[in-house]
Amino acid sequence: MSAEVHGLDQFYASPTGIVAKRLLRARLRAVWPELAGSDVLGVGYAGPYLRLWRRRAARLISVMPVQGQPPGRLSRWPADGPCALALAEEESLPFPDLSFDNVLMVHGLEHADHTRRMLREVWRVLRDEGRLLIVVPNRRSIWAHLDHTPLGHGQPYTPAQLARLLERGMFHVERRDGALFVPPFRSRLLLRTARLWESAGHALSPKLSGVTIMEARKEVFGALPLRSQPSGRRVAVPAWVGRGLAPAARDQGHALPADEVLAREGDLGTETPR
């Protein structure tokens, strides 16, 4: 992950960045209105948005990438309380398994060197049925093609591309949304009418949002590839994914051996290389 935080700080301090943050916060709040009692992790540059749930969440932690951080330029987070900011490799989050109820990823996936490995780490630290809320530049939008904003850098995704990536990472997509329909220009008139652009964009051209917002649920119970039975029928054999469990599934007295279940687990997307 190579995004430089000082560049993001400068953008969000600019008039365009202030408006963009306000619009995006409104959409994130609509998806997750309350996270009372939840343990929440922010990955990438999520600090400005984690504050949405600061009053009610049990724990908020922000993780930024080690790569691309200029010495002495990293600001503490939050600025007005005990530091809850960590630096980590994208493929090695410094938390035990099943540590968080919710993960918010902003300015993270598009800069990842190994997207599948990054998503596997998020999957690992999420609790069963935990939720991932991810924000990425929309490949179809003008934001992704102008490099004077952070959304013009890194790998943009269409909603369909992002959904496929999450599904391969053992997440089930439950909600799709978008934000930043206002063009990323410095015109004062555009910035003043940003809310009108947002309302009109959602109603008239939802596929042209500046960012794609997607909520996905961690899938713990999956199905192995279909296995032929002596009777000629093909059945899906269930297996607990990622837990090291391999309950035998029987069909007409035939059981799939535990070692074969574990050997086939890789077919569900547990391999990490891109």
Side-chain angles (χ1 to χ4, degrees), residues 20 123 212 237:
W123 189 96
T212 294
V237 182

Side-chain angles (χ1 to χ4, degrees), residues 70-195:
R73 291 196 181 186
L74 187 63
S75 302
R76 61 177 288 123
W77 186 88
D80 56 349
C83 184
L85 173 65
L87 295 180
E89 300 285 347
E90 64 186 38
E91 303 168 28
S92 182
L93 297 177
F95 307 106
D97 296 356
L98 311 175
S99 294
F100 297 94
D101 301 293
N102 301 79
V103 173
L104 172 68
M105 187 183 296
V106 184
H107 298 300
L109 190 70
E110 66 265 33
H111 298 291
D113 295 323
H114 302 283
T115 54
R116 292 189 185 180
R117 296 178 188 177
M118 185 179 194
L119 288 175
R120 281 295 290 160
E121 272 296 276
V122 171
W123 189 96
R124 179 183 66 80
V125 302
L126 268 174
R127 294 183 178 127
D128 296 349
E129 302 296 312
R131 304 291 174 127
L132 167 64
L133 186 57
I134 188 167
V135 180
V136 298
N138 181 5
R139 181 185 294 275
R140 296 190 181 103
S141 76
I142 190 173
W143 286 81
H145 299 283
L146 297 177
D147 60 6
H148 67 271
T149 78
L151 299 179
H153 300 267
Q155 174 66 48
Y157 295 87
T158 65
Q161 289 171 335
L162 180 59
R164 286 194 296 268
L165 186 62
L166 290 172
E167 288 165 0
R168 286 197 296 265
M170 292 189 297
F171 289 93
H172 176 71
V173 176
E174 297 205 330
R175 179 165 178 171
R176 306 184 187 197
D177 204 342
L180 306 187
F181 291 90
V182 60
F185 302 136
R186 299 181 179 91
S187 165
R188 291 185 179 181
L189 179 60
L190 281 178
L191 296 179
R192 289 174 181 172
T193 58
R195 291 189 182 277

